Amino acid sequence: MKQQKYSNESGFNHFDLLSEEIILSILDCLNENPFDKKMFSPVCKSFYAIESRHRKSLKPLRSEHLTNILSRYPNVTHLDLSLCPRITDASLSLISRSKMLRSIDLSRSKFFTHVGLSNLVTNCSSLVEIDLSNATELRDSAAAAIAEAKNLEKLWLGRCKSITDIGIGCIAVGCRKLRLISLKWCLGVGDLGVGLLAVKCKEIRSLDLSYVPITTKCLPSILNLEHLEDLVLEGCLCIDDDSLAVLKQGCKSLETLDMSNCLNVSHVGLSSLTTDNGHLRQLIFAYGSPITLAFAESLQKLSTLQSIKLDGCLVTCPGLKAIGNWCISLREISLSKCLGVTDDGLSSLVTKHKDLRKLDITCCRKITHVSIAHITNSCTCLMSLRMESCSLVPKEAFVLIGQRCHFLEELDLTDNEIDDEGLKSISRCSKLSSLKLGICLNITDEGLTHIGMCCSKLAELDLYRSAGIADPSILSIAHGCPALEMINIAYCKDITDSSFISLSKCSKLNTLESRGCPLVTSLGLAAIAVGCKQLNRLDIKKCYNINDTGMIPLAHFSQNLRQINLSFTSVTDVGLLSLASISCLQNMTVLHLKGLTAQGLVAALLACGGLTKVKLQASFKSLLPQPLFEHLEARGCAFQWSEKIFQAELDPKCWKLQFEDVQ
């Protein structure tokens, strides 16, 4: 203390003894917690200056801060504006002064035109990546502006529905270095534009044409791309077997092919696309034609295939067995929501693939204990197993998972018959980072406590509507899983403030879903606010005992909160207005707050300057002034109105029966 006092009095700072190289090395290590760098720079003047030169990536919350931010960080190479809904031409003009900029994300931004884009690409000659997804208002003039980015390598134009072949042609001529381009849902683009891209941009590695109205006319040019590795043709309904049959060759360099929702393509057309391919590693054929023996035989020559996704397809037993025989290198199989998956077919498939790492059998409702026995006996190296709603699998089968699959990192058991004995067994899977136990009505604190004691790497835990869960097991999870980032305890009605106080020790927690926990009060919420500084998503809908007292600490300590649902709580005008101090807050749902007035809502909406989405009760629409909507919408905020009335909660078992009827 004496030495520090002497240093302060003399104006000498020990940190000044550190070289810039050492300080830069320290900054390189501050990546785990995004807020560490914020705490680093104020330490002293040298730290402040060096940190400003060191930072290369920025994700600002509001466009009005761009002037100060870009002045503070002159060496930025990547600018993510996905949290800034309002980016104007003036904003892009300001950004264009950043000469070192190489990448910019405008996928959630609006209000800019071709003028701003032209300014950007003209002045930032180093730009190699631009994401313009969802820019539905952009037209061919914007595409012509992008064409001036001569060094562009990656371009995303998803849902740019007003851009046509003319605009894509400009890009093809101007951006010869393109390696990746996404035209997903570009409904104005056809064979001409895509063909020009394939002819002019010879370096393309990744091409996404999902739901683009192309035919096979442009496919020969695409398949001639020497470096093409990733081709997505999802939802291209104009492509069929007959037109594919005329293709003389496939693409030899292709590694990933996605033909999901290509309803007119069967194994015949697929064979035409994969002719002479010796590198295909992943095939996605979700929601396509039936998986028959003929389909499986068409895969014979794909000796390098490691991943196959057949989600939503009608599957036959001979087809599954044949896939097991022909595709010997598979590491990932996805059969989510496939009709026709039986114990016979699935057991035969997994028995042939002992090195399988990922398996998705979600909603395969015909499989039983037999399939699980074969999976766990053959695939002991599984790292991911998703088996939501496998309703015929008995509770005894889940014990096998813990006994034999010790390398599991992801396990989804939502809506299954697992009980405490199953959880006790699964706790042996010490590498688990994601565990989903939603709508598991047979589990209690006894079983979940074992998970807390043994699975220290757990980062995501879903207990949605698992009514047997209460405070004791949440205490075990909070103490035993320090890496916890997300927990869903929605409609676990026995949860109290004790659980929230326990979870407040999980400093990495960023998502808390706790709707329908009526015993939780403002006391518990205050503990979360103080302890969980990284919290960015909070759902306390139907936590009736949370009021303004809980909003005050939340507003003070949870400065990283971006999304909140306050519906059916006891929060009033005062509590809602206090949230205005959270500069990050962007998404707010406010339904059925009895203590909320129109005047209070207006004040809160105006004060919360970063809002981009607000969901309100429809009854407020006529009570709020029209100029308010115009002002907030000009600021980039969108409104959603709800007509829903209050509904009493069903008993968990009744709710599950109703849920199954809907399915």
Side-chain angles (χ1 to χ4, degrees):
M1 290 295 293
K2 289 182 179 179
Q3 186 177 7
Q4 183 179 5
K5 182 178 180 182
Y6 172 77
S7 297
N8 291 339
E9 290 176 351
S10 64
F12 175 71
N13 191 325
H14 287 90
F15 290 119
D16 290 334
L17 297 176
L18 298 176
S19 68
E20 182 169 330
E21 184 179 0
I22 292 175
I23 297 174
L24 289 173
S25 298
I26 294 172
L27 281 168
D28 287 336
C29 296
L30 298 181
N31 293 320
E32 185 174 344
N33 185 341
F35 313 113
D36 286 344
K37 289 182 179 180
K38 289 184 178 180
M39 301 169 66
F40 179 90
S41 58
V43 171
C44 60
K45 290 182 178 179
S46 61
F47 278 26
Y48 184 86
I50 293 173
E51 194 269 336
S52 76
R53 297 196 298 273
H54 176 270
R55 189 181 289 266
K56 299 295 189 292
S57 179
L58 285 175
K59 191 174 183 178
L61 293 167
R62 300 188 193 178
S63 57
E64 55 263 36
H65 297 156
L66 281 174
T67 301
N68 292 334
I69 290 174
L70 295 176
S71 175
R72 164 100 170 93
Y73 299 107
N75 298 329
V76 167
T77 59
H78 174 67
L79 185 59
D80 184 347
L81 297 171
S82 59
L83 298 178
C84 299
R86 184 176 179 80
I87 295 294
T88 63
D89 288 341
S91 303
L92 292 181
S93 178
L94 179 66
I95 294 167
S96 68
R97 301 174 190 172
S98 302
K99 304 301 181 184
M100 299 181 67
L101 193 65
R102 293 176 56 81
S103 170
I104 186 167
D105 186 344
L106 293 161
S107 61
R108 299 293 179 201
S109 306
K110 296 181 179 180
F111 302 102
F112 60 87
T113 69
H114 66 283
V115 177
L117 285 175
S118 179
N119 201 351
L120 178 70
V121 300
T122 300
N123 291 291
C124 299
S125 57
S126 298
L127 268 177
V128 293
E129 296 183 14
I130 302 178
D131 191 343
L132 294 170
S133 303
N134 305 303
T136 55
E137 301 301 317
L138 292 184
R139 299 184 180 277
D140 289 337
S141 55
I146 295 167
E148 297 301 317
K150 304 300 182 184
N151 294 312
L152 201 62
E153 296 178 5
K154 296 182 180 181
L155 175 63
W156 290 268
L157 294 173
R159 295 188 183 276
C160 292
K161 299 179 181 180
S162 298
I163 291 179
T164 71
D165 287 334
I166 296 174
I168 297 302
C170 292
I171 291 172
V173 173
C175 305
R176 300 293 184 91
K177 296 182 180 180
L178 273 179
R179 298 164 66 92
L180 176 152
I181 182 166
S182 173
L183 300 175
K184 185 174 184 178
W185 283 108
C186 288
L187 301 181
V189 177
D191 290 321
L192 178 60
V194 174
L196 280 170
L197 275 175
V199 170
K200 298 293 184 180
C201 304
K202 297 294 187 181
E203 299 297 319
I204 288 181
R205 266 72 169 169
S206 179
L207 180 60
D208 188 346
L209 300 173
S210 301
Y211 301 99
V212 176
I214 59 169
T215 68
T216 49
K217 290 181 181 179
C218 63
L219 284 182
S221 299
I222 293 173
L223 298 179
N224 278 329
L225 288 166
E226 294 182 4
H227 306 291
L228 186 64
E229 298 173 354
D230 184 1
L231 177 60
V232 183
L233 297 173
E234 179 182 357
C236 293
L237 301 181
C238 296
I239 297 177
D240 57 27
D241 285 343
D242 292 337
S243 55
L244 287 173
V246 303
L247 296 176
K248 296 181 179 179
Q249 64 177 38
C251 182
K252 296 181 179 180
S253 60
L254 204 60
E255 295 183 2
T256 299
L257 175 61
D258 185 348
M259 297 202 69
S260 303
N261 284 299
C262 288
L263 304 180
N264 300 316
V265 177
S266 69
H267 65 281
V268 177
L270 182 62
S271 297
S272 301
L273 275 175
T274 55
T275 302
D276 300 327
N277 185 285
H279 300 280
L280 197 68
R281 296 178 181 274
Q282 183 177 54
L283 174 63
I284 305 173
F285 202 73
Y287 300 96
S289 59
I291 307 304
T292 60
L293 178 61
F295 176 90
E297 290 178 345
S298 71
L299 306 179
Q300 287 186 52
K301 297 180 180 180
L302 304 180
S303 59
T304 58
L305 197 64
Q306 295 186 358
S307 171
I308 186 166
K309 297 185 178 183
L310 305 172
D311 303 349
C313 292
L314 175 62
V315 174
T316 66
C317 187
L320 279 185
K321 288 183 176 181
I323 289 174
N325 291 330
W326 294 118
C327 305
I328 59 175
S329 301
L330 288 179
R331 298 292 184 271
E332 178 180 11
I333 300 173
S334 184
L335 301 170
S336 174
K337 301 180 181 178
C338 285
L339 297 176
V341 178
T342 62
D343 286 334
D344 188 19
L346 183 58
S347 297
S348 176
L349 176 63
V350 297
T351 302
K352 305 289 178 58
H353 292 92
K354 296 185 181 296
D355 291 328
L356 203 64
R357 297 296 190 269
K358 295 182 178 182
L359 177 63
D360 191 341
I361 48 175
T362 297
C363 294
C364 292
R365 301 180 187 277
K366 293 183 179 180
I367 65 171
T368 68
H369 181 281
V370 174
S371 289
I372 304 305
H374 280 89
I375 290 168
T376 55
N377 189 51
S378 300
C379 309
T380 55
C381 293
L382 270 181
M383 299 174 68
S384 173
L385 175 59
R386 298 180 179 179
M387 51 177 295
E388 176 183 346
S389 298
C390 293
S391 50
L392 293 184
V393 176
K395 60 184 180 181
E396 294 80 12
F398 297 97
V399 175
L400 299 177
I401 296 174
Q403 289 177 345
R404 300 171 181 173
C405 301
H406 296 161
F407 296 100
L408 279 172
E409 297 178 5
E410 178 188 18
L411 182 59
D412 187 350
L413 301 177
T414 303
D415 188 23
N416 274 295
E417 296 301 315
I418 185 172
D419 61 4
D420 289 337
E421 283 302 310
L423 281 184
K424 183 178 179 180
S425 178
I426 286 169
S427 68
R428 302 177 189 180
C429 304
S430 59
K431 297 180 183 294
L432 269 181
S433 62
S434 175
L435 178 60
K436 296 186 178 181
L437 299 168
I439 328 176
C440 292
L441 303 184
N442 299 324
I443 64 173
T444 69
D445 288 333
E446 181 183 349
L448 191 60
T449 295
H450 288 285
I451 298 294
M453 290 190 297
C454 303
C455 302
S456 60
K457 296 182 180 180
L458 200 64
E460 178 183 2
L461 178 61
D462 188 348
L463 300 166
Y464 175 77
R465 289 189 184 272
S466 293
I469 299 302
D471 292 335
S473 57
I474 300 301
L475 173 63
S476 176
I477 292 293
H479 283 181
C481 308
L484 194 68
E485 297 178 10
M486 178 273 177
I487 187 168
N488 188 340
I489 48 176
Y491 300 105
C492 296
K493 292 188 175 182
D494 294 328
I495 295 291
T496 72
D497 287 338
S498 296
S499 289
F500 273 47
I501 292 171
S502 300
L503 290 171
S504 69
K505 305 298 189 295
C506 300
S507 59
K508 295 183 179 180
L509 193 69
N510 59 56
T511 301
L512 176 57
E513 302 269 359
S514 57
R515 65 169 60 186
C517 294
L519 301 181
V520 173
T521 72
S522 294
L523 179 65
L525 183 59
I528 290 290
V530 173
C532 304
K533 298 292 196 304
Q534 295 189 39
L535 191 69
N536 62 54
R537 183 177 178 184
L538 175 66
D539 189 341
I540 49 175
K541 177 182 178 180
K542 294 187 178 179
C543 293
Y544 308 112
N545 291 312
I546 290 180
N547 54 30
D548 294 342
T549 308
M551 295 299 102
I552 306 302
L554 195 69
H556 182 73
F557 293 104
S558 299
Q559 286 299 307
N560 296 295
L561 192 65
R562 291 181 183 173
Q563 181 174 332
I564 189 169
N565 189 339
L566 296 169
S567 303
F568 298 96
T569 62
S570 297
V571 174
T572 71
D573 295 348
V574 176
L576 193 63
L577 187 58
S578 69
L579 298 181
S581 64
I582 305 178
S583 59
C584 290
L585 190 61
Q586 293 192 310
N587 191 323
M588 185 163 61
T589 301
V590 185
L591 303 176
H592 295 286
L593 295 187
K594 293 181 179 179
L596 182 63
T597 67
Q599 292 81 3
L601 180 57
V602 169
L605 292 176
L606 289 173
C608 295
L611 288 176
T612 60
K613 183 179 179 181
V614 178
K615 187 174 182 179
L616 299 171
Q617 198 67 25
S619 57
F620 273 112
K621 193 169 187 178
S622 60
L623 301 177
L624 302 179
Q626 185 61 32
L628 173 71
F629 297 128
E630 295 172 358
H631 172 73
L632 293 176
E633 288 170 356
R635 210 162 63 181
C637 182
F639 285 88
Q640 186 176 352
W641 302 97
S642 174
E643 302 272 1
K644 288 184 179 180
I645 60 174
F646 176 77
Q647 293 179 329
E649 277 302 312
L650 295 173
D651 173 83
K653 291 184 179 179
C654 293
W655 184 91
K656 185 174 180 178
L657 288 172
Q658 191 179 76
F659 175 72
E660 289 173 347
D661 288 341
V662 172
Q663 288 187 316

